[in-house]
Amino acid sequence: MKVIKKPSSLQEITEFLRLTGKRIGFVPTMGALHEGHVSLLLNSSDLCDITIASVFVNPIQFTEETDLEKYPRDFKRDYFICQKANVDYIFYPSVDDMYGENYLTEVKVKELSDKYEGEFRPGHFTGVASVVLKLLNIVKPHVAFFGQKDAQQCTVIKKMVTDLNLDTEIIVCDTVRESDGLAKSSRNVFLDETERSNAAVLYKALELGGDLILGGKYNNSQDVSSQMYHFIKSQVPSAEIQYIAITDNKLLDEIKDLNNFEGKVLVSLAVKFNGVRLIDNILLTKKGILNHVT
Ligand code: PAF
């Protein structure tokens, strides 16, 4: 496994790999790797000849300076995790390598970037879309892998890839969960023991939402989200609920008529536990909750 720091060096390598007919899989990360990332890396090494992971804490997607400073960084640990997960190249640029002097360009996926997460983290998805486009231009992968936990991010990236005719397939992999349902996340390390056990309420609330929708008694998504809200508050009164959304998973429009909706329903939420902000979601079809943890 090789570590590459300069965008131009990686561009030379991937150009050669493409010419020799290799299928390139790419997993963009900000490091602090966990089992969720490992599953993306293993999916890539299963489906592709070469797997490239990037480790880059992207400053322009953080809305708060303190969040950026506090973001967990341990490259040595990430290196060993990548090695075990069959990664061939790690792209590990500095901020200067990515945003040299006088960097001026932004990519914004309008509307999708401003709702839900975007309301609480203005500018976040413009930072994500901009860095992902740069990374895709540097790596030129045939396939890029993202986790379903960041559902809105997946939607924004897929829309950017379609709208800008990018030649990369986006594969979204299932959320990896702890045994009590908590989604694996780099932010979980900030939870103390009590907050960690309280955070299990998120998946229970999502299950409740899923069951209410599937039960067919509620047609209006506001009624379902209100039940989920009261459930979380009854279990963890200190939880700070930022949003609970019941939408389609393409344009993230609220579903008004649940009983007559045909596509996949995305139930998503963001909740703060003593300042630690967690997001999670489930997807459901008429048949049930997809990848349900029992
Ligand atoms: O999901 C992440 O870790 C980041 O948002 C990404 C996609 C690597 C862009 O910085």
Side-chain angles (χ1 to χ4, degrees), residues 34 36-37 40 71 117 121 125 146-155 172-177 181-188 202 206 243 266-270 277-283:
H34 51 69
H37 296 112
L40 303 181
Y71 201 83
E117 282 300 290
R121 306 177 74 192
F125 287 119
F146 292 86
Q148 171 62 29
K149 193 199 69 113
D150 297 307
Q152 190 169 353
Q153 170 168 284
C154 295
T155 312
V172 177
C173 302
D174 297 342
T175 302
V176 180
R177 299 183 179 281
L182 179 68
K184 303 262 185 188
S185 160
S186 309
R187 288 172 192 269
N188 292 354
L202 296 184
L206 289 169
Y243 66 83
L266 175 70
V267 186
S268 55
L269 45 69
R277 186 175 190 278
L278 300 180
I279 58 170
D280 200 356
N281 67 82
I282 53 168
L283 265 179

mmCIF file of all heavy atoms in Angstrom, residues 34 36-37 40 71 117 121 125 146-155 172-177 181-188 202 206 243 266-270 277-283:
data_model
loop_
_atom_site.group_PDB
_atom_site.id
_atom_site.type_symbol
_atom_site.label_atom_id
_atom_site.label_comp_id
_atom_site.label_asym_id
_atom_site.label_seq_id
_atom_site.Cartn_x
_atom_site.Cartn_y
_atom_site.Cartn_z
ATOM 1 N N HIS A 34 -13.691 3.785 10.984
ATOM 2 C CA HIS A 34 -14.404 2.822 11.832
ATOM 3 C C HIS A 34 -14.983 1.730 10.920
ATOM 4 O O HIS A 34 -14.756 1.751 9.692
ATOM 5 C CB HIS A 34 -15.488 3.520 12.660
ATOM 6 C CG HIS A 34 -16.407 4.392 11.843
ATOM 7 N ND1 HIS A 34 -17.307 3.874 10.950
ATOM 8 C CD2 HIS A 34 -16.521 5.738 11.763
ATOM 9 C CE1 HIS A 34 -17.964 4.862 10.373
ATOM 10 N NE2 HIS A 34 -17.497 6.011 10.835
ATOM 11 N N GLY A 36 -17.749 1.262 9.638
ATOM 12 C CA GLY A 36 -18.527 1.768 8.495
ATOM 13 C C GLY A 36 -17.619 1.987 7.296
ATOM 14 O O GLY A 36 -17.927 1.565 6.175
ATOM 15 N N HIS A 37 -16.467 2.632 7.546
ATOM 16 C CA HIS A 37 -15.513 2.856 6.450
ATOM 17 C C HIS A 37 -14.962 1.520 5.946
ATOM 18 O O HIS A 37 -14.777 1.331 4.739
ATOM 19 C CB HIS A 37 -14.327 3.705 6.932
ATOM 20 C CG HIS A 37 -14.691 5.085 7.352
ATOM 21 N ND1 HIS A 37 -14.630 5.523 8.655
ATOM 22 C CD2 HIS A 37 -15.131 6.146 6.628
ATOM 23 C CE1 HIS A 37 -15.007 6.789 8.723
ATOM 24 N NE2 HIS A 37 -15.325 7.184 7.516
ATOM 25 N N LEU A 40 -17.057 0.015 3.438
ATOM 26 C CA LEU A 40 -16.939 0.675 2.121
ATOM 27 C C LEU A 40 -15.671 0.194 1.409
ATOM 28 O O LEU A 40 -15.675 -0.109 0.211
ATOM 29 C CB LEU A 40 -16.860 2.197 2.270
ATOM 30 C CG LEU A 40 -17.997 2.918 3.014
ATOM 31 C CD1 LEU A 40 -17.743 4.428 3.033
ATOM 32 C CD2 LEU A 40 -19.326 2.648 2.347
ATOM 33 N N TYR A 71 -11.862 17.585 15.393
ATOM 34 C CA TYR A 71 -12.114 16.383 14.591
ATOM 35 C C TYR A 71 -11.003 15.353 14.829
ATOM 36 O O TYR A 71 -9.826 15.686 14.747
ATOM 37 C CB TYR A 71 -12.221 16.727 13.091
ATOM 38 C CG TYR A 71 -12.963 15.646 12.364
ATOM 39 C CD1 TYR A 71 -14.344 15.634 12.351
ATOM 40 C CD2 TYR A 71 -12.282 14.595 11.757
ATOM 41 C CE1 TYR A 71 -15.035 14.612 11.740
ATOM 42 C CE2 TYR A 71 -12.977 13.565 11.150
ATOM 43 C CZ TYR A 71 -14.346 13.579 11.145
ATOM 44 O OH TYR A 71 -15.037 12.556 10.552
ATOM 45 N N GLU A 117 -30.029 18.981 7.028
ATOM 46 C CA GLU A 117 -28.667 19.209 7.504
ATOM 47 C C GLU A 117 -28.192 20.618 7.148
ATOM 48 O O GLU A 117 -27.536 21.287 7.938
ATOM 49 C CB GLU A 117 -27.706 18.199 6.860
ATOM 50 C CG GLU A 117 -27.743 16.826 7.475
ATOM 51 C CD GLU A 117 -27.383 16.869 8.925
ATOM 52 O OE1 GLU A 117 -26.223 17.111 9.259
ATOM 53 O OE2 GLU A 117 -28.277 16.670 9.759
ATOM 54 N N ARG A 121 -26.332 23.406 9.242
ATOM 55 C CA ARG A 121 -24.910 23.534 8.899
ATOM 56 C C ARG A 121 -24.784 24.263 7.557
ATOM 57 O O ARG A 121 -24.429 23.651 6.548
ATOM 58 C CB ARG A 121 -24.282 22.127 8.821
ATOM 59 C CG ARG A 121 -24.503 21.315 10.090
ATOM 60 C CD ARG A 121 -23.937 19.924 9.962
ATOM 61 N NE ARG A 121 -22.494 19.924 10.034
ATOM 62 C CZ ARG A 121 -21.714 18.891 9.735
ATOM 63 N NH1 ARG A 121 -22.259 17.763 9.330
ATOM 64 N NH2 ARG A 121 -20.415 18.975 9.833
ATOM 65 N N PHE A 125 -22.725 21.428 2.707
ATOM 66 C CA PHE A 125 -22.761 20.586 1.504
ATOM 67 C C PHE A 125 -22.050 21.224 0.312
ATOM 68 O O PHE A 125 -21.644 20.513 -0.607
ATOM 69 C CB PHE A 125 -24.210 20.222 1.137
ATOM 70 C CG PHE A 125 -24.786 19.205 2.078
ATOM 71 C CD1 PHE A 125 -25.903 19.490 2.836
ATOM 72 C CD2 PHE A 125 -24.190 17.962 2.233
ATOM 73 C CE1 PHE A 125 -26.427 18.558 3.728
ATOM 74 C CE2 PHE A 125 -24.698 17.015 3.117
ATOM 75 C CZ PHE A 125 -25.821 17.312 3.864
ATOM 76 N N PHE A 146 -19.985 5.453 -0.809
ATOM 77 C CA PHE A 146 -20.396 6.334 0.289
ATOM 78 C C PHE A 146 -21.332 5.559 1.208
ATOM 79 O O PHE A 146 -21.953 4.577 0.794
ATOM 80 C CB PHE A 146 -21.137 7.561 -0.258
ATOM 81 C CG PHE A 146 -20.244 8.482 -1.053
ATOM 82 C CD1 PHE A 146 -20.034 8.253 -2.416
ATOM 83 C CD2 PHE A 146 -19.595 9.549 -0.461
ATOM 84 C CE1 PHE A 146 -19.200 9.082 -3.155
ATOM 85 C CE2 PHE A 146 -18.757 10.386 -1.192
ATOM 86 C CZ PHE A 146 -18.558 10.152 -2.542
ATOM 87 N N GLY A 147 -21.434 6.025 2.464
ATOM 88 C CA GLY A 147 -22.275 5.318 3.441
ATOM 89 C C GLY A 147 -23.671 5.917 3.522
ATOM 90 O O GLY A 147 -23.847 7.140 3.508
ATOM 91 N N GLN A 148 -24.656 5.039 3.641
ATOM 92 C CA GLN A 148 -26.063 5.461 3.737
ATOM 93 C C GLN A 148 -26.313 6.316 4.989
ATOM 94 O O GLN A 148 -27.256 7.095 5.031
ATOM 95 C CB GLN A 148 -26.959 4.209 3.738
ATOM 96 C CG GLN A 148 -28.429 4.423 4.037
ATOM 97 C CD GLN A 148 -29.135 5.301 3.011
ATOM 98 O OE1 GLN A 148 -28.759 5.335 1.847
ATOM 99 N NE2 GLN A 148 -30.148 6.028 3.460
ATOM 100 N N LYS A 149 -25.459 6.195 6.022
ATOM 101 C CA LYS A 149 -25.678 6.987 7.240
ATOM 102 C C LYS A 149 -25.777 8.476 6.889
ATOM 103 O O LYS A 149 -26.552 9.213 7.464
ATOM 104 C CB LYS A 149 -24.577 6.755 8.265
ATOM 105 C CG LYS A 149 -24.971 7.315 9.625
ATOM 106 C CD LYS A 149 -23.813 7.525 10.537
ATOM 107 C CE LYS A 149 -22.940 8.605 10.091
ATOM 108 N NZ LYS A 149 -22.835 9.804 10.858
ATOM 109 N N ASP A 150 -24.939 8.900 5.926
ATOM 110 C CA ASP A 150 -24.969 10.300 5.502
ATOM 111 C C ASP A 150 -25.889 10.418 4.287
ATOM 112 O O ASP A 150 -25.453 10.718 3.167
ATOM 113 C CB ASP A 150 -23.545 10.769 5.165
ATOM 114 C CG ASP A 150 -22.652 10.706 6.392
ATOM 115 O OD1 ASP A 150 -23.029 11.270 7.422
ATOM 116 O OD2 ASP A 150 -21.587 10.064 6.323
ATOM 117 N N ALA A 151 -27.166 10.148 4.523
ATOM 118 C CA ALA A 151 -28.118 10.029 3.401
ATOM 119 C C ALA A 151 -28.178 11.299 2.561
ATOM 120 O O ALA A 151 -28.186 11.235 1.327
ATOM 121 C CB ALA A 151 -29.509 9.703 3.950
ATOM 122 N N GLN A 152 -28.208 12.448 3.215
ATOM 123 C CA GLN A 152 -28.335 13.695 2.438
ATOM 124 C C GLN A 152 -27.068 13.946 1.624
ATOM 125 O O GLN A 152 -27.130 14.399 0.481
ATOM 126 C CB GLN A 152 -28.640 14.880 3.376
ATOM 127 C CG GLN A 152 -29.026 16.133 2.613
ATOM 128 C CD GLN A 152 -29.587 17.233 3.490
ATOM 129 O OE1 GLN A 152 -29.814 17.036 4.690
ATOM 130 N NE2 GLN A 152 -29.820 18.395 2.910
ATOM 131 N N GLN A 153 -25.929 13.607 2.219
ATOM 132 C CA GLN A 153 -24.656 13.733 1.477
ATOM 133 C C GLN A 153 -24.706 12.869 0.208
ATOM 134 O O GLN A 153 -24.293 13.296 -0.871
ATOM 135 C CB GLN A 153 -23.499 13.311 2.382
ATOM 136 C CG GLN A 153 -22.180 13.159 1.660
ATOM 137 C CD GLN A 153 -20.996 13.023 2.618
ATOM 138 O OE1 GLN A 153 -20.560 13.980 3.197
ATOM 139 N NE2 GLN A 153 -20.467 11.817 2.766
ATOM 140 N N CYS A 154 -25.216 11.636 0.358
ATOM 141 C CA CYS A 154 -25.305 10.736 -0.812
ATOM 142 C C CYS A 154 -26.195 11.354 -1.880
ATOM 143 O O CYS A 154 -25.882 11.302 -3.078
ATOM 144 C CB CYS A 154 -25.873 9.374 -0.403
ATOM 145 S SG CYS A 154 -24.794 8.478 0.708
ATOM 146 N N THR A 155 -27.307 11.928 -1.451
ATOM 147 C CA THR A 155 -28.239 12.526 -2.403
ATOM 148 C C THR A 155 -27.587 13.704 -3.130
ATOM 149 O O THR A 155 -27.707 13.843 -4.353
ATOM 150 C CB THR A 155 -29.502 13.018 -1.648
ATOM 151 O OG1 THR A 155 -29.931 11.964 -0.805
ATOM 152 C CG2 THR A 155 -30.607 13.390 -2.566
ATOM 153 N N VAL A 172 -23.908 3.367 -2.843
ATOM 154 C CA VAL A 172 -24.200 3.694 -1.443
ATOM 155 C C VAL A 172 -24.296 2.389 -0.654
ATOM 156 O O VAL A 172 -25.071 1.498 -1.007
ATOM 157 C CB VAL A 172 -25.521 4.503 -1.338
ATOM 158 C CG1 VAL A 172 -25.867 4.781 0.122
ATOM 159 C CG2 VAL A 172 -25.402 5.812 -2.117
ATOM 160 N N CYS A 173 -23.478 2.270 0.388
ATOM 161 C CA CYS A 173 -23.437 1.027 1.181
ATOM 162 C C CYS A 173 -24.218 1.208 2.484
ATOM 163 O O CYS A 173 -24.305 2.318 3.026
ATOM 164 C CB CYS A 173 -21.991 0.658 1.505
ATOM 165 S SG CYS A 173 -20.983 0.436 0.030
ATOM 166 N N ASP A 174 -24.728 0.073 2.976
ATOM 167 C CA ASP A 174 -25.568 0.103 4.182
ATOM 168 C C ASP A 174 -24.841 0.697 5.384
ATOM 169 O O ASP A 174 -23.623 0.540 5.522
ATOM 170 C CB ASP A 174 -25.953 -1.336 4.577
ATOM 171 C CG ASP A 174 -26.784 -1.994 3.508
ATOM 172 O OD1 ASP A 174 -27.328 -1.271 2.660
ATOM 173 O OD2 ASP A 174 -26.855 -3.241 3.520
ATOM 174 N N THR A 175 -25.611 1.272 6.266
ATOM 175 C CA THR A 175 -25.079 1.781 7.535
ATOM 176 C C THR A 175 -24.646 0.600 8.395
ATOM 177 O O THR A 175 -25.363 -0.393 8.495
ATOM 178 C CB THR A 175 -26.193 2.578 8.267
ATOM 179 O OG1 THR A 175 -26.620 3.618 7.392
ATOM 180 C CG2 THR A 175 -25.708 3.160 9.579
ATOM 181 N N VAL A 176 -23.479 0.718 8.998
ATOM 182 C CA VAL A 176 -23.030 -0.326 9.930
ATOM 183 C C VAL A 176 -23.395 0.148 11.335
ATOM 184 O O VAL A 176 -23.162 1.304 11.692
ATOM 185 C CB VAL A 176 -21.509 -0.568 9.796
ATOM 186 C CG1 VAL A 176 -21.045 -1.641 10.766
ATOM 187 C CG2 VAL A 176 -21.158 -0.964 8.366
ATOM 188 N N ARG A 177 -23.992 -0.762 12.120
ATOM 189 C CA ARG A 177 -24.530 -0.366 13.429
ATOM 190 C C ARG A 177 -23.921 -1.171 14.569
ATOM 191 O O ARG A 177 -23.465 -2.299 14.371
ATOM 192 C CB ARG A 177 -26.055 -0.562 13.452
ATOM 193 C CG ARG A 177 -26.760 0.284 12.421
ATOM 194 C CD ARG A 177 -28.288 0.152 12.484
ATOM 195 N NE ARG A 177 -28.871 1.025 11.460
ATOM 196 C CZ ARG A 177 -29.014 2.330 11.603
ATOM 197 N NH1 ARG A 177 -28.699 2.909 12.757
ATOM 198 N NH2 ARG A 177 -29.512 3.061 10.623
ATOM 199 N N GLY A 181 -28.083 -0.787 17.779
ATOM 200 C CA GLY A 181 -28.635 -0.027 16.651
ATOM 201 C C GLY A 181 -27.916 1.281 16.369
ATOM 202 O O GLY A 181 -28.107 1.874 15.316
ATOM 203 N N LEU A 182 -27.091 1.763 17.320
ATOM 204 C CA LEU A 182 -26.426 3.053 17.079
ATOM 205 C C LEU A 182 -25.530 2.959 15.840
ATOM 206 O O LEU A 182 -24.715 2.042 15.715
ATOM 207 C CB LEU A 182 -25.580 3.465 18.299
ATOM 208 C CG LEU A 182 -24.839 4.794 18.128
ATOM 209 C CD1 LEU A 182 -25.801 5.969 18.076
ATOM 210 C CD2 LEU A 182 -23.808 5.010 19.225
ATOM 211 N N ALA A 183 -25.695 3.915 14.935
ATOM 212 C CA ALA A 183 -24.885 3.907 13.709
ATOM 213 C C ALA A 183 -23.438 4.213 14.050
ATOM 214 O O ALA A 183 -23.155 5.104 14.866
ATOM 215 C CB ALA A 183 -25.428 4.969 12.752
ATOM 216 N N LYS A 184 -22.507 3.475 13.441
ATOM 217 C CA LYS A 184 -21.077 3.760 13.634
ATOM 218 C C LYS A 184 -20.795 5.142 13.058
ATOM 219 O O LYS A 184 -21.228 5.453 11.948
ATOM 220 C CB LYS A 184 -20.219 2.736 12.889
ATOM 221 C CG LYS A 184 -20.497 1.302 13.305
ATOM 222 C CD LYS A 184 -19.499 0.824 14.308
ATOM 223 C CE LYS A 184 -19.760 -0.651 14.594
ATOM 224 N NZ LYS A 184 -18.963 -1.167 15.690
ATOM 225 N N SER A 185 -20.061 5.929 13.820
ATOM 226 C CA SER A 185 -19.734 7.288 13.377
ATOM 227 C C SER A 185 -18.453 7.746 14.063
ATOM 228 O O SER A 185 -18.199 7.367 15.219
ATOM 229 C CB SER A 185 -20.886 8.227 13.760
ATOM 230 O OG SER A 185 -20.451 9.560 13.774
ATOM 231 N N SER A 186 -17.694 8.571 13.371
ATOM 232 C CA SER A 186 -16.468 9.100 13.971
ATOM 233 C C SER A 186 -16.790 9.969 15.186
ATOM 234 O O SER A 186 -15.958 10.174 16.053
ATOM 235 C CB SER A 186 -15.711 9.964 12.961
ATOM 236 O OG SER A 186 -15.565 9.260 11.766
ATOM 237 N N ARG A 187 -18.020 10.474 15.245
ATOM 238 C CA ARG A 187 -18.397 11.340 16.364
ATOM 239 C C ARG A 187 -18.743 10.565 17.626
ATOM 240 O O ARG A 187 -18.855 11.167 18.704
ATOM 241 C CB ARG A 187 -19.605 12.203 15.990
ATOM 242 C CG ARG A 187 -19.259 13.281 15.013
ATOM 243 C CD ARG A 187 -20.495 13.984 14.514
ATOM 244 N NE ARG A 187 -20.135 14.805 13.374
ATOM 245 C CZ ARG A 187 -19.764 16.077 13.448
ATOM 246 N NH1 ARG A 187 -19.738 16.681 14.606
ATOM 247 N NH2 ARG A 187 -19.432 16.738 12.369
ATOM 248 N N ASN A 188 -18.956 9.247 17.521
ATOM 249 C CA ASN A 188 -19.359 8.486 18.704
ATOM 250 C C ASN A 188 -18.306 8.550 19.817
ATOM 251 O O ASN A 188 -18.633 8.388 20.988
ATOM 252 C CB ASN A 188 -19.648 7.015 18.347
ATOM 253 C CG ASN A 188 -20.883 6.883 17.487
ATOM 254 O OD1 ASN A 188 -21.592 7.874 17.252
ATOM 255 N ND2 ASN A 188 -21.155 5.683 16.980
ATOM 256 N N LEU A 202 -31.977 6.711 19.162
ATOM 257 C CA LEU A 202 -32.144 7.168 17.773
ATOM 258 C C LEU A 202 -32.680 6.057 16.879
ATOM 259 O O LEU A 202 -33.639 6.253 16.131
ATOM 260 C CB LEU A 202 -30.806 7.676 17.207
ATOM 261 C CG LEU A 202 -30.204 8.907 17.871
ATOM 262 C CD1 LEU A 202 -28.949 9.339 17.130
ATOM 263 C CD2 LEU A 202 -31.221 10.028 17.910
ATOM 264 N N LEU A 206 -36.288 5.637 15.001
ATOM 265 C CA LEU A 206 -36.416 5.400 13.553
ATOM 266 C C LEU A 206 -37.266 4.153 13.294
ATOM 267 O O LEU A 206 -38.112 4.137 12.390
ATOM 268 C CB LEU A 206 -35.026 5.234 12.922
ATOM 269 C CG LEU A 206 -34.182 6.511 12.844
ATOM 270 C CD1 LEU A 206 -32.737 6.194 12.470
ATOM 271 C CD2 LEU A 206 -34.781 7.510 11.839
ATOM 272 N N TYR A 243 -34.046 17.990 13.812
ATOM 273 C CA TYR A 243 -35.120 17.740 12.838
ATOM 274 C C TYR A 243 -35.426 16.252 12.771
ATOM 275 O O TYR A 243 -34.587 15.409 13.103
ATOM 276 C CB TYR A 243 -34.762 18.257 11.428
ATOM 277 C CG TYR A 243 -33.605 17.531 10.763
ATOM 278 C CD1 TYR A 243 -33.799 16.317 10.091
ATOM 279 C CD2 TYR A 243 -32.323 18.060 10.805
ATOM 280 C CE1 TYR A 243 -32.742 15.658 9.493
ATOM 281 C CE2 TYR A 243 -31.262 17.397 10.213
ATOM 282 C CZ TYR A 243 -31.478 16.195 9.566
ATOM 283 O OH TYR A 243 -30.428 15.520 8.985
ATOM 284 N N LEU A 266 -37.489 7.818 3.098
ATOM 285 C CA LEU A 266 -36.313 8.061 3.938
ATOM 286 C C LEU A 266 -36.785 8.743 5.215
ATOM 287 O O LEU A 266 -37.406 9.806 5.168
ATOM 288 C CB LEU A 266 -35.335 8.981 3.193
ATOM 289 C CG LEU A 266 -34.098 9.424 3.974
ATOM 290 C CD1 LEU A 266 -33.137 8.253 4.192
ATOM 291 C CD2 LEU A 266 -33.371 10.555 3.253
ATOM 292 N N VAL A 267 -36.502 8.090 6.341
ATOM 293 C CA VAL A 267 -36.816 8.715 7.637
ATOM 294 C C VAL A 267 -35.481 9.110 8.244
ATOM 295 O O VAL A 267 -34.622 8.248 8.483
ATOM 296 C CB VAL A 267 -37.554 7.723 8.576
ATOM 297 C CG1 VAL A 267 -37.988 8.432 9.851
ATOM 298 C CG2 VAL A 267 -38.743 7.086 7.873
ATOM 299 N N SER A 268 -35.266 10.401 8.460
ATOM 300 C CA SER A 268 -33.952 10.823 8.941
ATOM 301 C C SER A 268 -34.092 11.806 10.095
ATOM 302 O O SER A 268 -35.134 12.447 10.255
ATOM 303 C CB SER A 268 -33.136 11.432 7.800
ATOM 304 O OG SER A 268 -33.859 12.483 7.213
ATOM 305 N N LEU A 269 -33.038 11.893 10.890
ATOM 306 C CA LEU A 269 -33.080 12.807 12.038
ATOM 307 C C LEU A 269 -31.689 13.267 12.433
ATOM 308 O O LEU A 269 -30.674 12.668 12.045
ATOM 309 C CB LEU A 269 -33.784 12.134 13.229
ATOM 310 C CG LEU A 269 -33.446 10.682 13.607
ATOM 311 C CD1 LEU A 269 -32.057 10.556 14.159
ATOM 312 C CD2 LEU A 269 -34.423 10.172 14.650
ATOM 313 N N ALA A 270 -31.666 14.368 13.180
ATOM 314 C CA ALA A 270 -30.418 14.859 13.783
ATOM 315 C C ALA A 270 -30.745 15.241 15.218
ATOM 316 O O ALA A 270 -31.719 15.955 15.472
ATOM 317 C CB ALA A 270 -29.890 16.069 13.028
ATOM 318 N N ARG A 277 -23.527 16.048 18.241
ATOM 319 C CA ARG A 277 -24.598 15.997 17.232
ATOM 320 C C ARG A 277 -24.502 14.701 16.437
ATOM 321 O O ARG A 277 -23.474 14.423 15.818
ATOM 322 C CB ARG A 277 -24.448 17.202 16.301
ATOM 323 C CG ARG A 277 -25.541 17.360 15.302
ATOM 324 C CD ARG A 277 -25.339 18.667 14.523
ATOM 325 N NE ARG A 277 -26.508 18.961 13.713
ATOM 326 C CZ ARG A 277 -26.723 18.410 12.524
ATOM 327 N NH1 ARG A 277 -25.853 17.568 12.017
ATOM 328 N NH2 ARG A 277 -27.818 18.714 11.841
ATOM 329 N N LEU A 278 -25.579 13.906 16.459
ATOM 330 C CA LEU A 278 -25.583 12.647 15.701
ATOM 331 C C LEU A 278 -26.695 12.688 14.663
ATOM 332 O O LEU A 278 -27.765 13.263 14.903
ATOM 333 C CB LEU A 278 -25.819 11.457 16.649
ATOM 334 C CG LEU A 278 -24.790 11.245 17.766
ATOM 335 C CD1 LEU A 278 -25.177 10.035 18.613
ATOM 336 C CD2 LEU A 278 -23.381 11.044 17.207
ATOM 337 N N ILE A 279 -26.419 12.054 13.515
ATOM 338 C CA ILE A 279 -27.474 11.918 12.505
ATOM 339 C C ILE A 279 -27.664 10.434 12.214
ATOM 340 O O ILE A 279 -26.740 9.629 12.423
ATOM 341 C CB ILE A 279 -27.143 12.663 11.185
ATOM 342 C CG1 ILE A 279 -25.823 12.161 10.571
ATOM 343 C CG2 ILE A 279 -27.089 14.146 11.399
ATOM 344 C CD1 ILE A 279 -25.566 12.688 9.168
ATOM 345 N N ASP A 280 -28.856 10.098 11.770
ATOM 346 C CA ASP A 280 -29.112 8.701 11.392
ATOM 347 C C ASP A 280 -30.352 8.671 10.501
ATOM 348 O O ASP A 280 -31.083 9.661 10.393
ATOM 349 C CB ASP A 280 -29.308 7.830 12.642
ATOM 350 C CG ASP A 280 -29.103 6.342 12.359
ATOM 351 O OD1 ASP A 280 -28.880 5.975 11.182
ATOM 352 O OD2 ASP A 280 -29.188 5.537 13.306
ATOM 353 N N ASN A 281 -30.597 7.535 9.880
ATOM 354 C CA ASN A 281 -31.773 7.415 9.012
ATOM 355 C C ASN A 281 -32.053 5.951 8.720
ATOM 356 O O ASN A 281 -31.172 5.100 8.917
ATOM 357 C CB ASN A 281 -31.532 8.160 7.692
ATOM 358 C CG ASN A 281 -30.440 7.492 6.865
ATOM 359 O OD1 ASN A 281 -30.682 6.522 6.154
ATOM 360 N ND2 ASN A 281 -29.214 7.971 6.998
ATOM 361 N N ILE A 282 -33.264 5.698 8.267
ATOM 362 C CA ILE A 282 -33.590 4.380 7.695
ATOM 363 C C ILE A 282 -34.315 4.618 6.367
ATOM 364 O O ILE A 282 -34.896 5.685 6.150
ATOM 365 C CB ILE A 282 -34.492 3.514 8.617
ATOM 366 C CG1 ILE A 282 -35.749 4.290 9.032
ATOM 367 C CG2 ILE A 282 -33.725 2.971 9.807
ATOM 368 C CD1 ILE A 282 -36.805 3.418 9.701
ATOM 369 N N LEU A 283 -34.255 3.603 5.545
ATOM 370 C CA LEU A 283 -34.982 3.637 4.274
ATOM 371 C C LEU A 283 -36.035 2.552 4.334
ATOM 372 O O LEU A 283 -35.758 1.458 4.830
ATOM 373 C CB LEU A 283 -34.026 3.287 3.141
ATOM 374 C CG LEU A 283 -33.333 4.402 2.364
ATOM 375 C CD1 LEU A 283 -32.430 3.782 1.315
ATOM 376 C CD2 LEU A 283 -34.321 5.373 1.719
#
